[in-house]
Amino acid sequence: MKILGVVGSRRKKGNTSILVQEALKPLARPGIEIKIIFLGDYNINGCNGCEGCKDTYKCVINDDMQEIYPMILESDAVILGSPAYFYNVSSDMKAFIDRCYCFEAFTEDDRSVWMGVNEALGGKYAAVVAVCEQQKEEDMGYTAELMEKPLEALGYRVVSTVKVLNLFAAGEAVKCDKGMKDAKQAGEKLLKILQLRDKLKKQLSQNLFK
Ligand SMILES: Cc1cc2nc3c(=O)[nH]c(=O)nc-3n(C[C@H](O)[C@H](O)[C@H](O)COP(=O)(O)O)c2cc1C
């Protein structure tokens, strides 16, 4: 099993990074391969909207996203984390999400019918972590939803959304007991759903239609 953590803040020791790592902790088990990437380490251009991916489900832009695509396809679950930047996800996270458009498939005659290639591959799971400085949830804006909705459109079931408010300085998250607990619980939930999937798969392969 493979899990991919994606950090949308360039502060490697920042709050998003800490909380995504906390969410990954419960998944650190034998048989589970965990990878965490910091989007700031990669050169990810915005989507051209060229539709060059239409029939191939491969993006034509030759940049570091080509290195990330196999990680996405191979993972059973992803944890996306972003700080709130003006009520939104960071520009790194937005570029990353937009560039996943190549994994979206539409029917030829009706663009209101679509699915993510991940759905065809059997469905995937996700958790989302959103961090902001202000104390009111409205000041986080749409940060969490802007990760949740695209993930759902791409065929992920988002099992947990963690919103941690009132964090400003890099690293403050470690002192936020509730935020750390919520992040850990998100990871635990992801682990449970993956274990349930594997149990069901095994049961179904043995019993169904017999
Ligand atoms: C460009 C920029 C925009 C920001 N916009 C918001 C915002 O809209 N609402 C908010 O509460 N905090 C905002 N913040 C604060 C960050 O979300 C906060 O400091 C967060 O803890 C940073 O996470 P990090 O440590 O993972 O980088 C902004 C920070 C920056 C640098």
Side-chain angles (χ1 to χ4, degrees):
M1 209 186 292
K2 289 187 180 180
I3 317 291
L4 180 65
V6 181
V7 179
S9 167
R10 295 193 178 190
R11 302 203 293 191
K12 284 198 174 168
K13 293 182 179 167
N15 302 314
T16 311
S17 169
I18 287 167
L19 291 162
V20 169
Q21 289 183 66
E22 193 64 17
L24 286 168
K25 273 184 194 164
L27 293 143
R29 295 275 190 108
I32 303 184
E33 198 183 305
I34 291 175
K35 191 169 178 69
I36 183 162
I37 59 170
F38 296 87
L39 294 177
D41 288 343
Y42 297 85
N43 174 32
I44 304 173
N45 290 289
C47 173
N48 290 334
C50 67
E51 299 291 337
C53 54
K54 195 171 84 72
D55 299 315
T56 60
Y57 313 111
K58 288 189 177 132
C59 179
V60 297
I61 303 172
N62 193 12
D63 64 7
D64 292 347
M65 202 56 199
Q66 298 301 338
E67 217 182 298
I68 300 177
Y69 286 134
M71 299 180 207
I72 300 170
L73 287 173
E74 285 165 16
S75 57
D76 298 86
V78 295
I79 300 179
L80 300 191
S82 178
Y85 277 6
F86 284 114
Y87 314 101
N88 207 315
V89 290
S90 67
S91 54
D92 288 339
M93 181 55 75
K94 182 71 173 102
F96 166 82
I97 289 171
D98 287 352
R99 291 288 300 286
C100 290
Y101 179 70
C102 59
F103 292 144
E104 209 72 271
F106 297 82
T107 54
E108 281 293 333
D109 60 336
D110 183 355
R111 285 192 60 84
S112 73
V113 179
W114 75 80
M115 73 162 66
V117 295
N118 281 322
E119 242 171 307
L121 291 171
K124 305 263 178 109
Y125 301 91
V128 155
V129 177
V131 182
C132 85
E133 169 188 356
Q134 298 300 327
Q135 296 184 21
K136 284 189 281 176
E137 199 175 315
E138 67 192 65
D139 291 323
M140 175 176 272
Y142 303 101
T143 309
E145 291 78 3
L146 288 167
M147 292 183 277
E148 283 170 342
K149 293 292 278 178
L151 281 167
E152 283 162 9
L154 286 161
Y156 290 86
R157 215 170 110 204
V158 181
V159 297
S160 291
T161 296
V162 180
K163 295 182 181 180
V164 189
L165 316 175
N166 205 11
L167 295 178
F168 171 60
E172 263 182 359
V174 286
K175 290 183 267 164
C176 175
D177 293 344
K178 166 115 176 45
M180 294 295 273
K181 192 168 154 236
D182 288 352
K184 192 166 165 231
Q185 274 176 356
E188 284 165 356
K189 206 165 170 188
L190 212 45
L191 176 67
K192 282 183 195 167
I193 200 118
L194 288 163
Q195 287 172 334
L196 180 60
R197 180 201 63 176
D198 285 357
K199 184 180 156 196
L200 268 175
K201 265 190 182 177
K202 207 168 152 198
Q203 285 175 332
L204 293 173
S205 71
Q206 284 164 358
N207 303 324
L208 200 66
F209 309 125
K210 282 193 182 153

